[in-house]
Amino acid sequence: MSPVRTPDSATAPARTGVWAAPGRVNLIGEHTDYNDGFVLPIALPQAARATVRPRADRTLRLYSEQGDGRTVELDIDALSPGGVDGWARYPAAVVWALREAGCAIGGADVHIDSDVPTGAGLSSSAAIECVVAAAYNDLHDLGLTRKELARIAQRAENAFVGVPCGIMDQMASVCARQGEALFLDTRDLSARHVPVDLEGAGLRLLVIDTQVKHDLADGEYAKLRAGCERASALLGLPALRDLTPDRLPAALDRLPAELRPLVRHVVSENARVEQAAALLHEGYLHALGPILTSGHASLRDDFGVSCPETDLAVEAAVDAGALGARMTGGGFGGSVIALVAADRAPTVTTAVETAFRQAAYTAPRAFTAVPSSGARRIV
Ligand code: ADP
Ligand code: MG
């Protein structure tokens, strides 16, 4: 039974509404967001939808169609990090972060339904965070800007859920626009929307969900982040973003061997994002292909976050004629993106499926990504 009843009380039924916030794929710029660097995500048409009905009391009632069948009931004044288990941590975290930020909020019945695949590197977590943040912002007239909403959602995931993620996923989910990529400087959150007219260029962006998530993902992410922070401290820089490619060789000489590949990846990846954004700006979508593939090589060889499944998907896609391909998201599984001529899309998809079958991997799931809108009220 749905926990969101039809409006039947005098509490504020007219304010009940439905909001949507999307998942994302990142075109390029992986593991750069926690180094104050650049990213270039697009929002997906797949989104979390939340029907939210404000309550007169301080109770937060959460239900998700993709949850565990339970309705979770929480007192918003008693929310504290570590105090909520399972999927409900994500939406509860946002209400906690709003409360901590001093926002005047109340209870709500929240019903979530999302078609963003979970754990596939497509940011289902940010989608449910951002949809709750957007709904609360509107319902309580909080007046928070989109960037402030993204910061609230990131703080929620960092401090309440306990995942030390950067700001990319939340900024993409909140700020992205239809038909455009978000070229984001994660240092100051300055953003430029760059057109991505795939159809006009006769191209398709395939997303291939490998359906694998290796267990080391969470622990490794924190270790990699700590490694980057140690490297920037040793170099006396505020963040690795401050290291320009021309100063990279000298900087590498000053670092212990185990940190050098991490730094090489972050510096080269930032350069790739700037190059990719410039190409999109000029409308040279085809030229993006080689940048994607070299970004994958950097993640595989320097940062060490690819895995046999994502490597195979990239290799099979490129061998079958993709202009370029790379893993997207944090790594250790998840999804691969491939930029392909529209008429090659079926061939490339089949080639990846065949390669997976031959390797006895779980069948991947492929779909076409269409740059879509960020968080919005839909009803
Ligand atoms: P990603 O964000 O890449 O999909 P994460 O591990 O960051 O992967 O987040 C996935 C988690 O987010 C799920 O395990 C679940 O706890 C939560 N989640 C995402 N979407 C939903 C949903 N529709 N309903 C309930 N929980 C969800
Ligand atoms: Mg996530």
Side-chain angles (χ1 to χ4, degrees):
M1 191 185 78
S2 161
V4 177
R5 288 172 243 117
T6 47
D8 59 357
S9 78
T11 49
R15 291 169 69 79
T16 299
V18 184
W19 285 259
R24 59 99 190 97
V25 282
N26 188 20
L27 295 178
I28 190 83
E30 224 61 79
H31 292 274
T32 48
D33 66 347
Y34 53 81
N35 289 298
D36 274 6
F38 304 110
V39 293
L40 191 64
I42 60 168
L44 291 170
Q46 288 89 338
R49 285 170 193 77
T51 305
V52 184
R53 176 178 185 247
R55 298 172 59 100
D57 61 14
R58 306 281 293 165
T59 300
L60 180 65
R61 290 181 87 218
L62 302 167
Y63 183 85
S64 170
E65 293 291 337
Q66 293 73 40
D68 51 10
R70 283 181 309 141
T71 296
V72 176
E73 202 165 302
L74 302 161
D75 172 357
I76 61 176
D77 295 312
L79 291 173
S80 66
V84 183
D85 289 336
W87 66 270
R89 280 174 301 162
Y90 292 86
V94 171
V95 177
W96 168 83
L98 288 168
R99 193 200 74 195
E100 287 289 290
C103 298
I105 54 168
D109 292 343
V110 179
H111 181 277
I112 294 168
D113 193 1
S114 175
D115 60 357
V116 184
T118 56
L122 303 175
S123 221
S124 67
S125 61
I128 59 172
E129 290 154 14
C130 293
V131 79
V132 171
Y136 259 82
N137 193 34
D138 289 350
L139 285 169
H140 293 283
D141 296 320
L142 300 178
L144 298 170
T145 64
R146 286 181 178 266
K147 286 175 190 174
E148 286 167 342
L149 288 177
R151 287 263 192 234
I152 289 282
Q154 183 202 17
R155 167 128 209 268
E157 186 152 344
N158 290 169
F160 194 96
V161 181
V163 177
C165 61
I167 189 78
M168 167 171 68
D169 298 351
Q170 292 80 8
M171 278 295 287
S173 187
V174 171
C175 297
R177 290 190 199 154
Q178 193 174 349
E180 295 176 328
L182 185 76
F183 175 41
L184 175 69
D185 180 339
T186 63
R187 167 158 282 166
D188 61 4
L189 298 194
S190 59
R192 195 147 50 88
H193 298 271
V194 283
V196 188
D197 183 6
L198 291 158
E199 206 182 328
L203 297 175
R204 276 220 218 155
L205 186 69
L206 294 178
V207 178
I208 302 155
D209 174 4
T210 66
Q211 303 220 64
V212 295
K213 176 141 182 152
H214 293 286
D215 282 345
L216 32 92
D218 294 345
E220 277 304 305
Y221 185 93
K223 262 195 248 165
L224 291 162
R225 187 172 176 153
C228 290
E229 282 161 8
R230 194 154 70 86
S232 65
L234 287 170
L235 294 170
L237 297 168
L240 287 183
R241 178 262 176 76
D242 297 296
L243 186 57
T244 48
D246 55 309
R247 289 187 293 140
L248 178 64
L252 293 180
D253 285 344
R254 293 170 52 203
L255 291 171
E258 74 274 13
L259 294 181
R260 286 180 206 151
L262 300 186
V263 174
R264 209 160 41 218
H265 167 74
V266 173
V267 172
S268 65
E269 186 79 346
N270 275 325
R272 278 185 288 273
V273 183
E274 292 193 276
Q275 206 186 343
L279 289 170
L280 286 182
H281 188 69
E282 300 294 328
Y284 296 138
L285 269 68
H286 290 77
L288 220 58
I291 300 179
L292 302 185
T293 309
S294 58
H296 185 78
S298 180
L299 288 164
R300 181 191 60 212
D301 303 334
D302 275 345
F303 220 66
V305 295
S306 75
C307 65
E309 293 87 349
T310 49
D311 289 345
L312 182 62
V314 167
E315 191 187 311
V318 171
D319 286 351
L323 300 173
R326 61 179 286 271
M327 51 152 277
T328 185
F332 308 106
S335 297
V336 161
I337 53 170
L339 186 69
V340 298
D343 59 0
R344 296 290 296 176
T347 311
V348 169
T349 306
T350 306
V352 176
E353 287 166 353
T354 304
F356 270 51
R357 203 165 39 245
Q358 285 168 350
Y361 292 158
T362 305
R365 271 196 299 226
F367 62 90
T368 298
V370 181
S372 301
S373 304
R376 63 213 176 267
R377 184 170 188 159
I378 53 176
V379 176

